Structure formats: C-alpha cells, structure tokens
Amino acid sequence: MAYDKGLAQRVTELLEEKPGFNEKKMFGGVCYLLNGNMACGVINEDLIVRVGPEKYEDLLKLPHTREFDFTGRPMKGWIMVSYEGHESDEDLSEWVQQGVNFALSLPPK
C-alpha cells in the first residue's frame, strides 16, 4: 500500500518543530509521533488522526470522516479523513492539531 508523499510532506512541515517529533513507517504508510505517542499519519490519500475516546464520536459526525478500520476492527479514538476533508492547508492544520493535542496529553514514552 502506498501513501501520498505530498500529503506526508505537508504534515511533516506542520509537525517537525513539535516536541519529540518522529516519523515512522507503519500501516503501509507513515505515522507521526510526538514524545513517542502517535498523533496522526498518512495512508493512501487519507489522513489518520488520533483524537482519543472523548472526541471520537463527535468528530466522526463531521464531513469526510470515517472510522479507522485497518484490520476489520475499527480502532476507537482514531479517525480517517478523506482527501476532501484535508485538501486545504487550513483544514489539514486543524486536523493535525487534533492529533497533536491528544498525543501531547499523554505521558511521554
């Protein structure tokens, strides 16, 4: 499975100055970690965002979102945002910030 390298570069530019930034190939794409905790990632043209259990249900109601179902079992607290939902720089930044907020709320690994 390939991933959109242009999208990955845009995400990297938003995150590279954050504390404990690290990029790791996972799920057939690329994932971004802050202090060892996953914040978001890119698979194909989709953005994966770790939003946590408290915001999960509400954010799934937004346009262009769906459950992150990589293995046949949805991962609670994670959502996928299709291309239309992160096409603009503003939308991408807002989604990535959701992942940043959750990842930085966790203790460092």
Side-chain angles (χ1 to χ4, degrees), residues 14-76:
L14 289 169
L15 293 175
E16 61 192 351
E17 300 299 321
K18 302 286 183 197
F21 171 77
N22 192 16
E23 189 175 308
K24 191 175 207 178
K25 305 278 189 206
M26 297 174 77
F27 306 118
V30 62
C31 291
Y32 301 92
L33 296 88
L34 300 174
N35 294 327
N37 294 298
M38 287 180 57
C40 58
V42 175
I43 296 178
N44 295 321
E45 290 185 342
D46 293 323
L47 179 70
I48 330 166
V49 185
R50 187 176 185 189
V51 299
E54 291 177 7
K55 293 185 174 185
Y56 178 71
E57 295 294 332
D58 288 337
L59 291 175
L60 274 177
K61 294 175 187 173
L62 295 176
H64 313 296
T65 63
R66 65 186 185 281
E67 294 178 321
F68 178 36
D69 184 355
F70 184 69
T71 63
R73 291 179 52 198
M75 293 177 66
K76 296 290 181 186

